[in-house]
Amino acid sequence: MPGNRGRSRKIKSRMIKKFIDKLLGKSTSRGAKAMFGKREEVGVDVHGIDPSLVDERAIHVCRTLKQAGFEAYIVGGAVRDLLVGLRPKDFDVATNATPEQVKGLFRRAFIIGRRFRIVHVVYGRGRENEVIEVSTFRAYMDNAAAEQVAGNEKTSRSELAGMKHAVDSTGRVLRDNVWGPQDEDATRRDFTVNAMYYDPESQIVVDYHGGMQDVKKRVLRMIGDPATRYREDPVRIIRAVRFAAKLSPLGFTLDAKTAKPLAESQVLLADVPQSRLFDEMLKLLQTGHALATIEQLKALGLARGIYPLLDVVVERAGTPFVNAALADTDRRVGEGKPVAPSFLLACVLWADVRDGWDKRLARREHAHPALQDAIDEVFNARIGDVSGRGKLAADMREIWMLQPRFEKRVGSTPFGLVEQPRFRAAFDFMRLRADIGEVDVVLADWWQEFSMADDATREDLVAQVKAEQQKAVRAPRVHRASVPVAGTAQETGRNAEPVALTAPVPAIQRPPAGEFNDSAEDAGGEAPKKRRRRRRKPTEGDGSGGVSAPSGE
């Protein structure tokens, strides 16, 4: 009897342990252990990473954590890039220290995020600052054992408060803040080539899932079942496209099993917050491989449906203006120059703004408010509130509003325009328009020279333009009074040119520059010409009704 009671207690103990493990999402099966992979340490003689490509600030973060008694490794895409000889743009660090412990070791460190709590360690100030992102090793949790909420990130915010591991009804992970060992942390990452850890001091690469072999084979392979991983975090669909586009020049291709569920999993993106999709769209377009990304989206059957504004980009990528903007963005990123999302999106949506402006000008609306109304209409239709109508929208608006002012090159306008904070972006925008023939290339060349010149040279450039305009004003003119009554065949042919003077010219050039920012001094002698062009009311019995028709005709 005592022996039976002892065996009974052991059985109950094992059952309780299994129950607890299930609650924590941990499996005790051998298969589950094998899922975490086998730790392999790869030396520098095999991986060949060049230490000079490693950021000193990332090394400092790792050293500080290790001196405090913690593990610390450079992790993720930075290791992948180092293995193929690229200098990583960003460096992430993984450690077994909690976010609070990490924050306590650095003077300028900030805990951010709810879904994944991480620490940003900041070096430098202003535009020269650099952020090293530090994350804590996370446990690989069974989503079947996670707390489930009925809604999404927004609708279930109160329920999610205090939860460490939670999913929605589709299995998408909403909270993942359960800390664990390194092997489990590696398993919960997405691609094998992103699941390696590099110790910058010992120069050892730690690999659990054959990432080193996949790098050599140039294969992008998802860890675990791809469909399940996309369901856990649908944004992995977009990441797969981004990595495929970025690494395709190096010969990387998506593994067939990884690529197969992409199109059918796209519907899962409907539950992702719009703000997060907007940020992921910008990553697709601003990592230096925008044109390659467009091709990948088409090849994978994802050209439409990821995000409405991205649909517009893909649709217009073949047009000269948008294609030039995408190529210019790729070039600037490749040269290490900064890029702004406002500039690229302003290029993508310019056709909508221009068409809306033309329609309003055709209705005889004033040029300046007509342009503002056209911009508001485009924001409402294409951008919505996802950008918060903040700096991004303000920068886009300013780029567009400055375009008509480039037509004015006399008086004080040019001097004031080059001092505008967004002049360079607006000028680059206008230069692209000139490259495709939308504006005269001479105008773009003039502004290029003016913006780079000293004050004396600028005065000379303005004087030359003013002299040319005055010379054009002194050219022989056909007075309006000589325009005959419409209807006589012989007079119509003789006076076709004067009649054409009253016809509208193309909308982009039609609004006088004075409507945007002119004074009487800037008009450069054109005011008398405007007075002479005013129509006089006809007297009774006057037969020139066609000429003196209402101005709104």
Side-chain angles (χ1 to χ4, degrees), residues 22-172:
K22 186 176 180 180
L23 286 177
L24 294 176
K26 295 181 179 180
S27 175
T28 58
S29 68
R30 292 180 181 178
K33 187 63 181 176
M35 180 182 67
F36 296 140
K38 181 181 178 182
R39 179 186 176 100
E40 292 186 15
E41 295 186 355
V42 184
V44 66
D45 56 328
V46 176
H47 63 66
I49 289 177
D50 181 358
S52 67
L53 296 177
V54 183
D55 191 289
E56 284 295 330
R57 289 158 291 201
I59 294 175
H60 177 261
V61 170
C62 290
R63 184 183 300 122
T64 302
L65 286 165
K66 292 181 77 172
Q67 288 174 349
F70 300 107
E71 297 177 60
Y73 300 84
I74 293 171
V75 69
V79 181
R80 178 200 65 223
D81 289 351
L82 289 169
L83 287 170
V84 296
L86 299 177
R87 185 181 297 276
K89 183 180 178 182
D90 301 304
F91 283 84
D92 298 337
V93 170
T95 178
N96 59 345
T98 66
E100 290 75 16
Q101 289 170 329
V102 174
K103 186 177 186 300
L105 294 173
F106 299 93
R107 187 169 61 87
R108 297 180 64 204
F110 309 92
I111 298 175
I112 65 169
R114 291 187 298 268
R115 184 168 179 262
F116 302 114
R117 294 180 71 231
I118 59 177
V119 180
H120 278 182
V121 180
V122 183
Y123 292 86
R125 297 186 180 278
R127 288 190 173 184
E128 301 303 319
N129 78 316
E130 178 71 25
V131 174
I132 305 298
E133 189 172 287
V134 183
S135 61
T136 303
F137 294 152
R138 287 178 171 81
Y140 186 85
M141 304 295 290
D142 182 1
N143 290 334
E147 296 180 89
Q148 189 174 103
V149 296
N152 55 29
E153 181 74 45
K154 280 188 176 181
T155 60
S156 303
R157 186 167 295 176
S158 59
E159 282 186 75
L160 289 168
M163 291 185 181
K164 290 187 174 182
H165 185 217
V167 298
D168 64 13
S169 58
T170 68
R172 184 168 70 92

Side-chain angles (χ1 to χ4, degrees), residues 29 32 74 86 136 156 233 254 319 345 355 424 483 498-499 505 511:
S29 68
I74 293 171
L86 299 177
T136 303
S156 303
D233 184 3
L254 279 171
T319 63
L345 294 182
D355 293 347
R424 176 48 57 180
V483 178
V499 172
V505 299

Side-chain angles (χ1 to χ4, degrees), residues 435-462:
D435 289 344
I436 66 164
E438 188 175 301
V439 298
D440 194 340
V441 70
V442 173
L443 182 68
D445 290 342
W446 187 92
W447 277 102
Q448 175 74 37
E449 187 176 358
F450 184 86
S451 65
M452 304 295 290
D454 56 30
D455 290 342
T457 305
R458 287 179 177 180
E459 293 284 359
D460 290 341
L461 288 168
V462 171

Side-chain angles (χ1 to χ4, degrees), residues 277-291:
L277 286 177
F278 184 81
D279 290 341
E280 290 296 329
M281 179 196 70
L282 294 183
K283 290 179 184 178
L284 285 177
L285 301 176
Q286 292 194 283
T287 53
H289 308 88
L291 290 172

Side-chain angles (χ1 to χ4, degrees), residues 367-380:
H368 189 269
L371 181 54
Q372 288 182 319
D373 289 346
I375 291 171
D376 288 338
E377 183 179 60
V378 170
F379 278 150
N380 291 333

